[in-house]
Amino acid sequence: MTTIKDTAEEWEVRATETPFVGNKTSVRTDDVVMPDGSVARRDYQVHPGSVAVLALDDQGRVLILKQYRHPVRMKLWEIPAGLLDIPGENPLHAAQRELYEEAHVKAEDWRVLTDVYTTPGGCSEAVRIFLARDLSEAEGERFEVEDEEADMELARVPLADLVRGVLAGELHNNCLVVGVLSLAAALAGDGVGALRPAESEWPARPFEA
């Protein structure tokens, strides 16, 4: 039986340049040697990576938020998420921070739900999506939000309603779609107890435990 598993590989790069450097990401141009020996130019966004949190309460509802996304000119329902701002940052710690900052919520039970590359044909972004349970209101002052986050709406919605919304083409955010369908698959399969531990290694973004 063939094992279906992604594998690490790196083709030869003859030349590289960075024509654009932004605040959080950059654009790189590589001349890559193809299998037939020809050289093809590939432009892609260099991204530090992200974490996202599917927070599930004891009533089976998922914590979601609505945020304006300028590139697609839409307000999207999403799950809490954020950049890995510090190289080598522990993704679990980053996820716990994002859940606190965006929803003022903490969780006692954390597991890895799934790991994805959002757009591997044009961007190096890797995202680890966590499942967080045993939720409670965080202590202390709420985090001061700014820019798009200042306009966010928060809601708690039953998982089944989100699955229906995804399949109906009404919900489009990558992390929400992947997280919701992954959790539904886990619940229909071996259960959340079979998910990986929260500190599982992540080759796409190595970190110190």
Side-chain angles (χ1 to χ4, degrees):
M1 182 177 177
T2 303
T3 300
I4 304 299
K5 183 178 179 180
D6 296 337
T7 55
E9 186 164 339
E10 188 167 351
W11 292 1
E12 180 187 351
V13 176
R14 290 276 172 85
T16 186
E17 59 185 69
T18 306
F20 170 79
V21 177
N23 185 31
K24 298 291 186 181
T25 67
S26 60
V27 172
R28 184 175 297 164
T29 298
D30 288 345
D31 292 340
V32 186
V33 179
M34 298 290 109
D36 65 358
S38 63
V39 176
R41 177 156 287 192
R42 295 288 178 259
D43 302 313
Y44 58 99
Q45 182 184 23
V46 179
H47 194 286
S50 307
V51 291
V53 185
L54 195 149
L56 186 70
D57 69 15
D58 57 8
Q59 298 178 50
R61 301 176 303 175
V62 177
L63 193 159
I64 58 174
L65 49 92
K66 197 173 192 179
Q67 185 170 343
Y68 176 64
R69 294 301 188 184
H70 187 69
V72 295
R73 307 302 198 269
M74 291 187 76
K75 272 191 170 182
L76 302 179
W77 283 106
E78 308 180 350
I79 58 177
L83 296 175
L84 289 168
D85 292 313
I86 305 165
E89 182 176 16
N90 185 308
L92 174 59
H93 299 167
Q96 291 169 333
R97 180 187 67 232
E98 292 300 331
L99 185 61
Y100 166 74
E101 291 182 356
E102 295 192 350
H104 203 64
V105 166
K106 64 180 180 178
E108 297 303 320
D109 185 280
W110 290 82
R111 299 171 190 271
V112 174
L113 189 53
T114 189
D115 299 324
V116 294
Y117 291 111
T118 54
T119 47
C123 179
S124 68
E125 182 180 19
V127 181
R128 169 156 281 187
I129 303 175
F130 290 91
L131 173 64
R133 297 183 301 164
D134 194 3
L135 309 182
S136 62
E137 196 76 9
E139 298 157 3
E141 293 294 316
R142 282 188 170 271
F143 183 77
E144 190 70 31
V145 296
E146 58 185 13
D147 300 331
E148 289 92 343
E149 293 183 354
D151 189 48
M152 286 194 309
E153 301 173 48
L154 287 171
R156 294 192 183 207
V157 180
L159 177 66
D161 291 352
L162 296 178
V163 170
R164 282 193 290 271
V166 168
L167 298 180
E170 298 167 351
L171 299 168
H172 307 88
N173 174 262
N174 184 296
C175 291
L176 182 145
V177 170
V178 173
V180 161
L181 297 184
S182 295
L183 179 57
L187 292 172
D190 296 331
V192 297
L195 294 173
R196 287 171 290 160
E199 294 275 12
S200 295
E201 67 175 56
W202 189 17
R205 294 294 184 273
F207 64 94
E208 294 292 332

